[in-house]
Amino acid sequence: MKIGRVAQTVVSTIHSPVFDGRRLLLCDLLEPDGSPSGGYLIAVDTVGAGAGETVLLLDEGNSARQVIGMSPAPVRTVVVGVIDEVTLGG
Amino acid sequence: MQLARVVGTVVATVKSPGLDGVKFLVIQPLDARRQPVGRPLVAADAVHMAGPGELVYFVAAREASQALPETFVPVDHAIVGIVDAVEPVGGRRGGRGPAATQGDGPAASAPRGDEPAASAPRGDEPAAGVPGRDEPAAGVADRDDPARPPTDASPAGPGARS
């Protein structure tokens, strides 16, 4: 899984049916120390994450479909948690 | 999933079995600031409505094939949505429902293409009317609700494209 920060939301009217009624969050990817790694992912929100929150991103298809509860579905990236704290070396 | 700009079309007459009827587009992946990143690639158009110039999002790897009617096909990138807007996230955790960005309209539950809002605002956009669009916006609106002028839904459209 990856660590990200919710940056923006992607609004889309025309999309695959799996995205009906779902919220897409554009999340900047972070290093474990919290610094931006430069990349980003658009993820389906399943936890109600808000702006600027640090989130746990799942980036694997089978698990994503399990979380979404729909199969087959063209979904690979899902926000599965809001991170309170990351401790390194401790 | 990532953002991309549609930059071209691909026509292939001879294709692997299962790819009949699948439209392929050349897309340029974009970074979070909508700047090109990496090399262009060919993606299947799973929404059937994307055209050159449009901002889309795509899914990569094995999940791409699951966007298509036939799911066990050799496809590794698929366009799964057309972007109306990339905007700030509203509210804090739990303050906004899963369907908040579009839940007020029937678009959230209606099949795509049957909802005037899905196509009417797009008529104002520069990409509307590009070759390859399957459904003219006017035709969709007429079929669904002739009495409703496209301008009714236009507030949702302007400003959507960055």
Side-chain angles (χ1 to χ4, degrees), chain B residues 1-97:
Chain B
M1 292 175 286
Q2 286 188 290
L3 298 171
R5 183 78 64 187
V6 179
V7 295
T9 58
V10 174
V11 179
T13 308
V14 180
K15 286 182 282 197
S16 185
L19 294 180
D20 292 333
V22 177
K23 191 168 81 173
F24 289 96
L25 297 171
V26 183
I27 61 173
Q28 170 63 60
L30 306 177
D31 66 17
R33 290 178 297 281
R34 260 70 80 204
Q35 298 302 307
V37 59
R39 297 186 61 83
L41 47 89
V42 179
D45 178 15
V47 296
H48 309 295
M49 297 178 84
E54 281 185 299
L55 184 63
V56 298
Y57 53 97
F58 68 96
V59 64
R62 196 179 120 63
E63 286 67 45
S65 63
Q66 303 209 4
L68 302 172
E70 181 80 41
T71 56
F72 195 73
V73 290
V75 165
D76 65 355
H77 291 86
I79 295 167
V80 291
I82 298 176
V83 176
D84 295 331
V86 182
E87 58 187 30
V89 181
R92 293 286 295 173
R93 183 181 182 186
R96 191 166 182 174

Side-chain angles (χ1 to χ4, degrees), chain A residues 9 11-14 16 40 42, chain B residues 1 3 30 80 84-85 87 102:
Chain A
T9 180
V11 181
S12 161
T13 308
I14 299 170
S16 287
Y40 76 99
I42 300 171
Chain B
M1 292 175 286
L3 298 171
L30 306 177
V80 291
D84 295 331
E87 58 187 30
Q102 54 181 241

